[in-house]
Amino acid sequence: MACILHIETATDVCSVALAEAGQVLAWREEQFQHHNDHSRNLTLFVQECLGKAGKTLEELKAVAVSSGPGSYSSLRVGTSVAKGICYALDIPLIGIDTLQALALAAQRAMPIDGALYIPMIDARRMEVYYRIFDDTNSALTEAGNLVLTEDAFSKYFSEGKTLVFTGNGAQKAQQLRSHPKARFADLQTSARHLVELTFLKYQNQQFEDLAYFAPFYLKPPNITTPRKRAF
């Protein structure tokens, strides 16, 4: 059976999971206030998971990484570590859509026939990255960024749809909690959420081009320049 390493760093959660045949063997994750903590802890989490599962790095058959959208800096950390391991061991890289993985986790946690699943990732201020999926995990929209307002999803509510919101960005949709058709699945990004989609891609040999793979940032990094001093 193929032993696959999963890495999720799209948000402030740094998460690693080890799985075989779609079953989690070990996992380690922690939420950090500063994204540079990901770079200090990610490889330690990898080693910890391997130790818990009684595996060695050389036993890995592939590495899966959350491909975004999400934090620019955090996604770069996860991608760099994943690609480094793949290059060193000459094994394939599997990219997993962060929002699709969150949507699937919400569907497993809160199955509702005909519902729409809307994973959200915090994108600063009142903005979120989001995408809409049906109850079979098929995407109905492209990934986008949205400033949340009370009528942001009125079109779907007016059609009588039940909407299931999830992810750390869903905290910004509190004004929708009173709607009778709104549901909230309290889930965060996690490497464990990548496992099911990764297993399918591995079976179908849907691998990334190591040389050209890059995360899907959706927005450019938030870079500020220092003010010039008066003197």
Side-chain angles (χ1 to χ4, degrees), residues 87-194:
Y87 271 121
L89 300 178
D90 192 24
I91 57 177
L93 176 70
I94 300 171
I96 299 296
D97 183 317
T98 308
L99 294 171
Q100 185 179 15
L102 258 178
L104 184 58
Q107 290 163 31
R108 297 292 182 249
M110 193 178 289
I112 302 173
D113 288 344
L116 299 182
Y117 291 82
I118 307 178
M120 295 179 173
I121 291 176
D122 190 353
R124 300 190 299 270
R125 300 184 180 89
M126 282 303 293
E127 195 171 10
V128 296
Y129 302 126
Y130 82 106
R131 197 174 187 185
I132 301 176
F133 295 82
D134 66 15
D135 59 355
T136 68
N137 200 232
S138 296
L140 303 180
T141 66
E142 295 296 324
N145 51 300
L146 173 74
V147 175
L148 286 176
T149 61
E150 289 188 9
D151 60 351
F153 299 99
S154 58
K155 172 182 180 293
Y156 301 101
F157 282 134
S158 66
E159 295 172 355
K161 297 287 188 181
T162 296
L163 306 187
V164 181
F165 300 97
T166 193
N168 66 355
Q171 298 172 7
K172 296 180 177 180
Q174 295 303 309
Q175 68 269 33
L176 300 176
R177 281 192 178 272
S178 60
H179 196 286
K181 286 290 187 177
R183 302 289 186 273
F184 286 80
D186 187 17
L187 297 169
Q188 300 287 339
T189 51
S190 172
R192 290 171 292 165
H193 300 335
L194 308 180

Side-chain angles (χ1 to χ4, degrees), residues 13 30 49 58 70 184:
V13 176
E30 190 169 340
C49 284
E58 290 71 25
F184 286 80

Side-chain angles (χ1 to χ4, degrees), residues 30-44:
E30 190 169 340
Q31 188 170 9
F32 294 113
Q33 290 187 342
H34 303 289
H35 293 303
N36 58 0
D37 288 332
H38 288 50
S39 59
R40 288 196 290 265
N41 290 279
L42 182 54
T43 55
L44 297 177

